[in-house]
Amino acid sequence: MSRMRIAFGMIVVIVGTAWLLGGPDVLRSGGRRTLVVLPYVLLGLGVLLLLRAAVPRGLLAAPVALILGGALWAAYGAGYLGGGATAKAWPALAVLLGVAIALGGRPTTANDTNHGPLRRYRSVVVPVRPELAQSTAPLRRITVASYLGDVRLRLADVPFGPDARIAGAGPPAEVLELDVTLLFGSVAIELDHRCAVVKGDVANTLAVHFADQVRVYATTDIYADQARSELPRRIQLNVIGVGGTVAIRSR
C-alpha cells in the first residue's frame, strides 16, 4: 500500500469524523478557512523550494528564520494576528510545527537502532546524511522518503546482500533494493563503478536522473545477460511520489 494512498485515506477519515461530529456547517466553515490559508501555504512552500535551490547546503536555516520572523512581524503590524478566528489558528500551527519536528529526519549516529540489513530514512525539510559506509553487515533494502527534504546516500563503500537470483562466473553477485518516495523532495545517490541500476517500479520516471557513467537496465534478465560479469553489484530501484528528483551518479 502506497504512502500517498494512506495519506489520502487519513484525510478522508478526518473529514468524515468532522462531518459526523459537527454536521455540514463544520465542513463549510473549515473549507472557507482552508481557502483563506491555502494561498499563504503555497507561497511559503514556493519560497522554501526556491531557497533550497539557491542557498548552499547547511545555510538554509538562517534565511528561513528571517523570512518567517519578518512575515509574522508584518502580519502582527497589519492587525492580522488579533483575537477571534485568527487566534485559534495559533494552536493549530503549534501542532503542525510539532508534527514537522517529530517527523523530521536526522542524521543516523553510531548508537542509532537503524543499523540492520533493512534501513529506513525520512527527511521532512531537514536534510538527512546517514553514514552508511560504517556498516559492516550487508544491506538488503533501504527505504527513503523525502517530503520537501534532502537525502544523500553514499553507497560506494557499502556491502550489499547476496543476489540469489543471479548466478554465474566471476565475483559473487550483490543486490540492494532501494525504495524512494518523493513529495517535492530530493534524493542523491552515489554508487561505485562496479554497480548497475535496474529499474523496478519507477512511476515518476521524469524525476529520476542518471549520470552518464551509470549503467541502467530495464529488467534484471537484461542486466544478467549483458553486465553480470562486469558489474557484480546492482540496485533494484523503485520510485513513487509527486515532484522532486532522484539523482544517481557513480564515482
mmCIF file of all heavy atoms in Angstrom, residues 132-179:
data_model
loop_
_atom_site.group_PDB
_atom_site.id
_atom_site.type_symbol
_atom_site.label_atom_id
_atom_site.label_comp_id
_atom_site.label_asym_id
_atom_site.label_seq_id
_atom_site.Cartn_x
_atom_site.Cartn_y
_atom_site.Cartn_z
ATOM 1 N N LEU A 132 26.422 5.461 5.940
ATOM 2 C CA LEU A 132 26.283 4.058 5.554
ATOM 3 C C LEU A 132 27.622 3.360 5.400
ATOM 4 O O LEU A 132 27.692 2.128 5.460
ATOM 5 C CB LEU A 132 25.499 3.960 4.245
ATOM 6 C CG LEU A 132 24.046 4.443 4.306
ATOM 7 C CD1 LEU A 132 23.439 4.451 2.921
ATOM 8 C CD2 LEU A 132 23.237 3.560 5.237
ATOM 9 N N ALA A 133 28.690 4.106 5.175
ATOM 10 C CA ALA A 133 30.000 3.483 4.986
ATOM 11 C C ALA A 133 30.480 2.763 6.241
ATOM 12 O O ALA A 133 31.354 1.901 6.162
ATOM 13 C CB ALA A 133 31.030 4.525 4.558
ATOM 14 N N GLN A 134 29.930 3.094 7.406
ATOM 15 C CA GLN A 134 30.322 2.442 8.648
ATOM 16 C C GLN A 134 29.639 1.090 8.840
ATOM 17 O O GLN A 134 29.925 0.382 9.799
ATOM 18 C CB GLN A 134 29.992 3.350 9.836
ATOM 19 C CG GLN A 134 30.710 4.689 9.807
ATOM 20 C CD GLN A 134 30.306 5.588 10.967
ATOM 21 O OE1 GLN A 134 29.470 5.228 11.767
ATOM 22 N NE2 GLN A 134 30.925 6.757 11.032
ATOM 23 N N SER A 135 28.745 0.722 7.934
ATOM 24 C CA SER A 135 28.016 -0.531 8.065
ATOM 25 C C SER A 135 28.936 -1.702 7.760
ATOM 26 O O SER A 135 29.684 -1.700 6.780
ATOM 27 C CB SER A 135 26.813 -0.548 7.120
ATOM 28 O OG SER A 135 26.179 -1.796 7.147
ATOM 29 N N THR A 136 28.891 -2.717 8.617
ATOM 30 C CA THR A 136 29.669 -3.930 8.404
ATOM 31 C C THR A 136 28.809 -5.065 7.856
ATOM 32 O O THR A 136 29.301 -5.908 7.101
ATOM 33 C CB THR A 136 30.322 -4.374 9.721
ATOM 34 O OG1 THR A 136 29.304 -4.553 10.718
ATOM 35 C CG2 THR A 136 31.314 -3.319 10.210
ATOM 36 N N ALA A 137 27.533 -5.106 8.233
ATOM 37 C CA ALA A 137 26.626 -6.137 7.730
ATOM 38 C C ALA A 137 26.105 -5.732 6.360
ATOM 39 O O ALA A 137 25.841 -4.559 6.112
ATOM 40 C CB ALA A 137 25.462 -6.352 8.697
ATOM 41 N N PRO A 138 25.937 -6.666 5.447
ATOM 42 C CA PRO A 138 25.402 -6.330 4.116
ATOM 43 C C PRO A 138 23.986 -5.773 4.215
ATOM 44 O O PRO A 138 23.162 -6.253 4.983
ATOM 45 C CB PRO A 138 25.420 -7.678 3.382
ATOM 46 C CG PRO A 138 26.408 -8.521 4.129
ATOM 47 C CD PRO A 138 26.326 -8.084 5.560
ATOM 48 N N LEU A 139 23.719 -4.770 3.403
ATOM 49 C CA LEU A 139 22.395 -4.166 3.360
ATOM 50 C C LEU A 139 21.547 -4.860 2.301
ATOM 51 O O LEU A 139 22.025 -5.140 1.199
ATOM 52 C CB LEU A 139 22.495 -2.680 3.035
ATOM 53 C CG LEU A 139 23.289 -1.813 4.017
ATOM 54 C CD1 LEU A 139 23.231 -0.362 3.585
ATOM 55 C CD2 LEU A 139 22.759 -1.962 5.417
ATOM 56 N N ARG A 140 20.280 -5.106 2.632
ATOM 57 C CA ARG A 140 19.370 -5.762 1.699
ATOM 58 C C ARG A 140 18.333 -4.790 1.130
ATOM 59 O O ARG A 140 17.962 -4.890 -0.030
ATOM 60 C CB ARG A 140 18.658 -6.927 2.380
ATOM 61 C CG ARG A 140 19.588 -8.049 2.811
ATOM 62 C CD ARG A 140 18.819 -9.210 3.402
ATOM 63 N NE ARG A 140 19.707 -10.293 3.775
ATOM 64 C CZ ARG A 140 20.105 -11.252 2.944
ATOM 65 N NH1 ARG A 140 19.669 -11.230 1.682
ATOM 66 N NH2 ARG A 140 20.906 -12.202 3.343
ATOM 67 N N ARG A 141 17.860 -3.859 1.957
ATOM 68 C CA ARG A 141 16.829 -2.926 1.496
ATOM 69 C C ARG A 141 16.988 -1.599 2.227
ATOM 70 O O ARG A 141 17.231 -1.563 3.428
ATOM 71 C CB ARG A 141 15.429 -3.481 1.739
ATOM 72 C CG ARG A 141 14.301 -2.534 1.287
ATOM 73 C CD ARG A 141 12.930 -3.042 1.752
ATOM 74 N NE ARG A 141 12.576 -4.282 1.096
ATOM 75 C CZ ARG A 141 11.908 -4.350 -0.045
ATOM 76 N NH1 ARG A 141 11.506 -3.241 -0.651
ATOM 77 N NH2 ARG A 141 11.614 -5.515 -0.583
ATOM 78 N N ILE A 142 16.813 -0.505 1.468
ATOM 79 C CA ILE A 142 16.796 0.846 2.030
ATOM 80 C C ILE A 142 15.513 1.515 1.563
ATOM 81 O O ILE A 142 15.225 1.561 0.352
ATOM 82 C CB ILE A 142 18.015 1.675 1.613
ATOM 83 C CG1 ILE A 142 19.304 1.053 2.149
ATOM 84 C CG2 ILE A 142 17.887 3.106 2.115
ATOM 85 C CD1 ILE A 142 20.555 1.823 1.743
ATOM 86 N N THR A 143 14.757 2.044 2.513
ATOM 87 C CA THR A 143 13.534 2.778 2.209
ATOM 88 C C THR A 143 13.770 4.247 2.535
ATOM 89 O O THR A 143 14.130 4.581 3.664
ATOM 90 C CB THR A 143 12.350 2.240 3.020
ATOM 91 O OG1 THR A 143 12.179 0.844 2.735
ATOM 92 C CG2 THR A 143 11.077 2.973 2.672
ATOM 93 N N VAL A 144 13.569 5.111 1.549
ATOM 94 C CA VAL A 144 13.840 6.540 1.689
ATOM 95 C C VAL A 144 12.577 7.318 1.379
ATOM 96 O O VAL A 144 11.892 7.040 0.383
ATOM 97 C CB VAL A 144 14.977 6.989 0.746
ATOM 98 C CG1 VAL A 144 15.211 8.489 0.878
ATOM 99 C CG2 VAL A 144 16.249 6.229 1.051
ATOM 100 N N ALA A 145 12.252 8.294 2.234
ATOM 101 C CA ALA A 145 11.139 9.205 1.999
ATOM 102 C C ALA A 145 11.650 10.632 2.154
ATOM 103 O O ALA A 145 12.299 10.956 3.156
ATOM 104 C CB ALA A 145 9.996 8.944 2.979
ATOM 105 N N SER A 146 11.380 11.457 1.163
ATOM 106 C CA SER A 146 11.816 12.854 1.187
ATOM 107 C C SER A 146 10.619 13.753 0.932
ATOM 108 O O SER A 146 10.122 13.836 -0.190
ATOM 109 C CB SER A 146 12.900 13.093 0.125
ATOM 110 O OG SER A 146 13.348 14.430 0.150
ATOM 111 N N TYR A 147 10.134 14.417 1.999
ATOM 112 C CA TYR A 147 8.997 15.326 1.927
ATOM 113 C C TYR A 147 9.516 16.754 2.073
ATOM 114 O O TYR A 147 9.789 17.212 3.175
ATOM 115 C CB TYR A 147 7.989 15.021 3.024
ATOM 116 C CG TYR A 147 7.557 13.566 3.073
ATOM 117 C CD1 TYR A 147 7.638 12.843 4.256
ATOM 118 C CD2 TYR A 147 7.090 12.919 1.938
ATOM 119 C CE1 TYR A 147 7.256 11.509 4.305
ATOM 120 C CE2 TYR A 147 6.701 11.594 1.983
ATOM 121 C CZ TYR A 147 6.789 10.897 3.157
ATOM 122 O OH TYR A 147 6.415 9.580 3.205
ATOM 123 N N LEU A 148 9.727 17.419 0.929
ATOM 124 C CA LEU A 148 10.359 18.746 0.908
ATOM 125 C C LEU A 148 11.738 18.697 1.561
ATOM 126 O O LEU A 148 12.240 19.714 2.035
ATOM 127 C CB LEU A 148 9.490 19.783 1.636
ATOM 128 C CG LEU A 148 8.144 20.110 1.003
ATOM 129 C CD1 LEU A 148 7.346 21.025 1.914
ATOM 130 C CD2 LEU A 148 8.317 20.745 -0.357
ATOM 131 N N GLY A 149 12.313 17.530 1.588
ATOM 132 C CA GLY A 149 13.590 17.340 2.257
ATOM 133 C C GLY A 149 14.711 17.028 1.284
ATOM 134 O O GLY A 149 14.584 17.185 0.065
ATOM 135 N N ASP A 150 15.822 16.556 1.845
ATOM 136 C CA ASP A 150 17.021 16.295 1.055
ATOM 137 C C ASP A 150 17.753 15.123 1.695
ATOM 138 O O ASP A 150 18.162 15.202 2.862
ATOM 139 C CB ASP A 150 17.908 17.538 1.028
ATOM 140 C CG ASP A 150 19.121 17.346 0.142
ATOM 141 O OD1 ASP A 150 19.066 16.500 -0.763
ATOM 142 O OD2 ASP A 150 20.136 18.045 0.350
ATOM 143 N N VAL A 151 17.928 14.036 0.948
ATOM 144 C CA VAL A 151 18.593 12.838 1.448
ATOM 145 C C VAL A 151 19.796 12.544 0.562
ATOM 146 O O VAL A 151 19.696 12.602 -0.671
ATOM 147 C CB VAL A 151 17.641 11.618 1.471
ATOM 148 C CG1 VAL A 151 18.360 10.393 2.025
ATOM 149 C CG2 VAL A 151 16.408 11.925 2.303
ATOM 150 N N ARG A 152 20.934 12.229 1.178
ATOM 151 C CA ARG A 152 22.152 11.866 0.461
ATOM 152 C C ARG A 152 22.600 10.488 0.932
ATOM 153 O O ARG A 152 22.840 10.284 2.118
ATOM 154 C CB ARG A 152 23.258 12.891 0.720
ATOM 155 C CG ARG A 152 22.963 14.283 0.179
ATOM 156 C CD ARG A 152 23.028 14.292 -1.342
ATOM 157 N NE ARG A 152 22.855 15.637 -1.885
ATOM 158 C CZ ARG A 152 21.702 16.164 -2.224
ATOM 159 N NH1 ARG A 152 20.600 15.460 -2.051
ATOM 160 N NH2 ARG A 152 21.624 17.371 -2.715
ATOM 161 N N LEU A 153 22.709 9.561 -0.010
ATOM 162 C CA LEU A 153 23.137 8.193 0.290
ATOM 163 C C LEU A 153 24.431 7.904 -0.460
ATOM 164 O O LEU A 153 24.477 7.974 -1.690
ATOM 165 C CB LEU A 153 22.069 7.174 -0.134
ATOM 166 C CG LEU A 153 20.699 7.286 0.525
ATOM 167 C CD1 LEU A 153 19.755 6.247 -0.065
ATOM 168 C CD2 LEU A 153 20.795 7.114 2.032
ATOM 169 N N ARG A 154 25.473 7.556 0.282
ATOM 170 C CA ARG A 154 26.747 7.170 -0.324
ATOM 171 C C ARG A 154 26.873 5.658 -0.203
ATOM 172 O O ARG A 154 27.184 5.121 0.868
ATOM 173 C CB ARG A 154 27.902 7.882 0.367
ATOM 174 C CG ARG A 154 27.813 9.400 0.302
ATOM 175 C CD ARG A 154 29.044 10.063 0.894
ATOM 176 N NE ARG A 154 30.241 9.685 0.152
ATOM 177 C CZ ARG A 154 31.478 10.117 0.476
ATOM 178 N NH1 ARG A 154 31.638 10.919 1.524
ATOM 179 N NH2 ARG A 154 32.517 9.737 -0.228
ATOM 180 N N LEU A 155 26.646 4.967 -1.301
ATOM 181 C CA LEU A 155 26.605 3.502 -1.308
ATOM 182 C C LEU A 155 27.838 2.882 -1.932
ATOM 183 O O LEU A 155 27.894 1.663 -2.125
ATOM 184 C CB LEU A 155 25.367 3.029 -2.075
ATOM 185 C CG LEU A 155 24.018 3.531 -1.538
ATOM 186 C CD1 LEU A 155 22.889 3.093 -2.459
ATOM 187 C CD2 LEU A 155 23.788 3.016 -0.133
ATOM 188 N N ALA A 156 28.848 3.680 -2.247
ATOM 189 C CA ALA A 156 30.018 3.158 -2.949
ATOM 190 C C ALA A 156 30.799 2.154 -2.104
ATOM 191 O O ALA A 156 31.324 1.170 -2.621
ATOM 192 C CB ALA A 156 30.921 4.313 -3.371
ATOM 193 N N ASP A 157 30.902 2.372 -0.816
ATOM 194 C CA ASP A 157 31.706 1.514 0.057
ATOM 195 C C ASP A 157 30.847 0.632 0.952
ATOM 196 O O ASP A 157 31.321 0.150 1.981
ATOM 197 C CB ASP A 157 32.621 2.379 0.932
ATOM 198 C CG ASP A 157 33.556 3.236 0.095
ATOM 199 O OD1 ASP A 157 34.041 2.728 -0.933
ATOM 200 O OD2 ASP A 157 33.772 4.403 0.456
ATOM 201 N N VAL A 158 29.604 0.426 0.574
ATOM 202 C CA VAL A 158 28.655 -0.313 1.409
ATOM 203 C C VAL A 158 28.429 -1.698 0.816
ATOM 204 O O VAL A 158 28.095 -1.815 -0.375
ATOM 205 C CB VAL A 158 27.319 0.443 1.513
ATOM 206 C CG1 VAL A 158 26.323 -0.341 2.351
ATOM 207 C CG2 VAL A 158 27.540 1.828 2.114
ATOM 208 N N PRO A 159 28.593 -2.770 1.601
ATOM 209 C CA PRO A 159 28.318 -4.116 1.077
ATOM 210 C C PRO A 159 26.824 -4.365 0.941
ATOM 211 O O PRO A 159 26.031 -3.972 1.794
ATOM 212 C CB PRO A 159 28.948 -5.034 2.133
ATOM 213 C CG PRO A 159 28.919 -4.230 3.399
ATOM 214 C CD PRO A 159 29.113 -2.793 2.984
ATOM 215 N N PHE A 160 26.435 -5.016 -0.158
ATOM 216 C CA PHE A 160 25.048 -5.400 -0.394
ATOM 217 C C PHE A 160 24.849 -6.872 -0.048
ATOM 218 O O PHE A 160 25.806 -7.628 0.114
ATOM 219 C CB PHE A 160 24.658 -5.169 -1.854
ATOM 220 C CG PHE A 160 24.746 -3.747 -2.314
ATOM 221 C CD1 PHE A 160 24.711 -3.441 -3.664
ATOM 222 C CD2 PHE A 160 24.863 -2.706 -1.400
ATOM 223 C CE1 PHE A 160 24.798 -2.127 -4.095
ATOM 224 C CE2 PHE A 160 24.942 -1.389 -1.820
ATOM 225 C CZ PHE A 160 24.918 -1.101 -3.174
ATOM 226 N N GLY A 161 23.600 -7.265 0.058
ATOM 227 C CA GLY A 161 23.277 -8.652 0.326
ATOM 228 C C GLY A 161 23.520 -9.531 -0.890
ATOM 229 O O GLY A 161 23.567 -9.053 -2.032
ATOM 230 N N PRO A 162 23.700 -10.836 -0.685
ATOM 231 C CA PRO A 162 23.925 -11.742 -1.825
ATOM 232 C C PRO A 162 22.713 -11.807 -2.745
ATOM 233 O O PRO A 162 21.572 -11.785 -2.287
ATOM 234 C CB PRO A 162 24.192 -13.092 -1.151
ATOM 235 C CG PRO A 162 23.551 -12.975 0.202
ATOM 236 C CD PRO A 162 23.672 -11.541 0.601
ATOM 237 N N ASP A 163 22.999 -11.866 -4.034
ATOM 238 C CA ASP A 163 21.940 -11.910 -5.048
ATOM 239 C C ASP A 163 21.705 -13.370 -5.432
ATOM 240 O O ASP A 163 22.362 -13.914 -6.327
ATOM 241 C CB ASP A 163 22.350 -11.082 -6.259
ATOM 242 C CG ASP A 163 21.189 -10.840 -7.212
ATOM 243 O OD1 ASP A 163 20.148 -11.501 -7.040
ATOM 244 O OD2 ASP A 163 21.324 -9.998 -8.117
ATOM 245 N N ALA A 164 20.758 -14.012 -4.755
ATOM 246 C CA ALA A 164 20.486 -15.425 -5.009
ATOM 247 C C ALA A 164 19.802 -15.649 -6.345
ATOM 248 O O ALA A 164 19.801 -16.778 -6.860
ATOM 249 C CB ALA A 164 19.619 -15.993 -3.883
ATOM 250 N N ARG A 165 19.241 -14.617 -6.928
ATOM 251 C CA ARG A 165 18.508 -14.768 -8.191
ATOM 252 C C ARG A 165 19.435 -14.925 -9.377
ATOM 253 O O ARG A 165 19.077 -15.540 -10.393
ATOM 254 C CB ARG A 165 17.593 -13.566 -8.398
ATOM 255 C CG ARG A 165 16.760 -13.621 -9.658
ATOM 256 C CD ARG A 165 15.825 -12.431 -9.751
ATOM 257 N NE ARG A 165 15.072 -12.429 -11.003
ATOM 258 C CZ ARG A 165 14.202 -11.502 -11.347
ATOM 259 N NH1 ARG A 165 13.959 -10.501 -10.520
ATOM 260 N NH2 ARG A 165 13.573 -11.568 -12.511
ATOM 261 N N ILE A 166 20.640 -14.375 -9.279
ATOM 262 C CA ILE A 166 21.565 -14.376 -10.409
ATOM 263 C C ILE A 166 22.805 -15.163 -10.029
ATOM 264 O O ILE A 166 23.459 -14.876 -9.020
ATOM 265 C CB ILE A 166 21.950 -12.942 -10.803
ATOM 266 C CG1 ILE A 166 20.705 -12.169 -11.237
ATOM 267 C CG2 ILE A 166 22.980 -12.950 -11.917
ATOM 268 C CD1 ILE A 166 20.983 -10.744 -11.611
ATOM 269 N N ALA A 167 23.133 -16.162 -10.834
ATOM 270 C CA ALA A 167 24.346 -16.940 -10.648
ATOM 271 C C ALA A 167 25.273 -16.682 -11.827
ATOM 272 O O ALA A 167 24.970 -15.903 -12.723
ATOM 273 C CB ALA A 167 24.008 -18.427 -10.534
ATOM 274 N N GLY A 168 26.420 -17.340 -11.804
ATOM 275 C CA GLY A 168 27.355 -17.181 -12.904
ATOM 276 C C GLY A 168 28.769 -17.036 -12.420
ATOM 277 O O GLY A 168 29.046 -16.948 -11.213
ATOM 278 N N ALA A 169 29.687 -17.036 -13.376
ATOM 279 C CA ALA A 169 31.099 -16.906 -13.040
ATOM 280 C C ALA A 169 31.424 -15.474 -12.662
ATOM 281 O O ALA A 169 30.684 -14.544 -12.956
ATOM 282 C CB ALA A 169 31.943 -17.342 -14.247
ATOM 283 N N GLY A 170 32.592 -15.340 -12.027
ATOM 284 C CA GLY A 170 33.030 -14.023 -11.626
ATOM 285 C C GLY A 170 32.767 -13.747 -10.163
ATOM 286 O O GLY A 170 32.432 -14.653 -9.385
ATOM 287 N N PRO A 171 32.902 -12.511 -9.724
ATOM 288 C CA PRO A 171 32.673 -12.159 -8.321
ATOM 289 C C PRO A 171 31.241 -12.465 -7.905
ATOM 290 O O PRO A 171 30.326 -12.468 -8.737
ATOM 291 C CB PRO A 171 32.950 -10.650 -8.283
ATOM 292 C CG PRO A 171 33.748 -10.360 -9.513
ATOM 293 C CD PRO A 171 33.308 -11.352 -10.540
ATOM 294 N N PRO A 172 31.020 -12.730 -6.604
ATOM 295 C CA PRO A 172 29.649 -13.007 -6.139
ATOM 296 C C PRO A 172 28.721 -11.821 -6.431
ATOM 297 O O PRO A 172 29.097 -10.661 -6.264
ATOM 298 C CB PRO A 172 29.826 -13.214 -4.630
ATOM 299 C CG PRO A 172 31.261 -13.576 -4.453
ATOM 300 C CD PRO A 172 32.009 -12.851 -5.526
ATOM 301 N N ALA A 173 27.522 -12.121 -6.875
ATOM 302 C CA ALA A 173 26.554 -11.076 -7.198
ATOM 303 C C ALA A 173 25.954 -10.498 -5.920
ATOM 304 O O ALA A 173 25.675 -11.223 -4.964
ATOM 305 C CB ALA A 173 25.456 -11.635 -8.103
ATOM 306 N N GLU A 174 25.758 -9.180 -5.909
ATOM 307 C CA GLU A 174 25.178 -8.477 -4.765
ATOM 308 C C GLU A 174 24.012 -7.627 -5.261
ATOM 309 O O GLU A 174 24.038 -7.108 -6.384
ATOM 310 C CB GLU A 174 26.207 -7.581 -4.072
ATOM 311 C CG GLU A 174 27.420 -8.319 -3.545
ATOM 312 C CD GLU A 174 28.414 -7.375 -2.890
ATOM 313 O OE1 GLU A 174 28.059 -6.196 -2.672
ATOM 314 O OE2 GLU A 174 29.540 -7.810 -2.612
ATOM 315 N N VAL A 175 23.001 -7.452 -4.395
ATOM 316 C CA VAL A 175 21.836 -6.662 -4.779
ATOM 317 C C VAL A 175 21.340 -5.879 -3.575
ATOM 318 O O VAL A 175 21.419 -6.345 -2.431
ATOM 319 C CB VAL A 175 20.699 -7.573 -5.316
ATOM 320 C CG1 VAL A 175 20.242 -8.564 -4.272
ATOM 321 C CG2 VAL A 175 19.528 -6.730 -5.818
ATOM 322 N N LEU A 176 20.857 -4.662 -3.835
ATOM 323 C CA LEU A 176 20.233 -3.806 -2.823
ATOM 324 C C LEU A 176 18.924 -3.290 -3.387
ATOM 325 O O LEU A 176 18.903 -2.701 -4.480
ATOM 326 C CB LEU A 176 21.145 -2.635 -2.447
ATOM 327 C CG LEU A 176 20.518 -1.577 -1.539
ATOM 328 C CD1 LEU A 176 20.291 -2.146 -0.140
ATOM 329 C CD2 LEU A 176 21.379 -0.331 -1.465
ATOM 330 N N GLU A 177 17.836 -3.492 -2.660
ATOM 331 C CA GLU A 177 16.542 -2.943 -3.060
ATOM 332 C C GLU A 177 16.399 -1.549 -2.460
ATOM 333 O O GLU A 177 16.503 -1.384 -1.243
ATOM 334 C CB GLU A 177 15.408 -3.849 -2.589
ATOM 335 C CG GLU A 177 15.422 -5.223 -3.231
ATOM 336 C CD GLU A 177 14.196 -6.026 -2.863
ATOM 337 O OE1 GLU A 177 13.149 -5.419 -2.575
ATOM 338 O OE2 GLU A 177 14.293 -7.264 -2.860
ATOM 339 N N LEU A 178 16.163 -0.573 -3.311
ATOM 340 C CA LEU A 178 16.073 0.827 -2.897
ATOM 341 C C LEU A 178 14.701 1.370 -3.271
ATOM 342 O O LEU A 178 14.373 1.498 -4.456
ATOM 343 C CB LEU A 178 17.175 1.650 -3.562
ATOM 344 C CG LEU A 178 17.245 3.132 -3.216
ATOM 345 C CD1 LEU A 178 17.419 3.337 -1.717
ATOM 346 C CD2 LEU A 178 18.377 3.806 -3.968
ATOM 347 N N ASP A 179 13.887 1.683 -2.259
ATOM 348 C CA ASP A 179 12.540 2.210 -2.457
ATOM 349 C C ASP A 179 12.525 3.687 -2.063
ATOM 350 O O ASP A 179 12.866 4.031 -0.925
ATOM 351 C CB ASP A 179 11.522 1.442 -1.616
ATOM 352 C CG ASP A 179 11.494 -0.043 -1.965
ATOM 353 O OD1 ASP A 179 11.721 -0.368 -3.137
ATOM 354 O OD2 ASP A 179 11.252 -0.867 -1.062
#
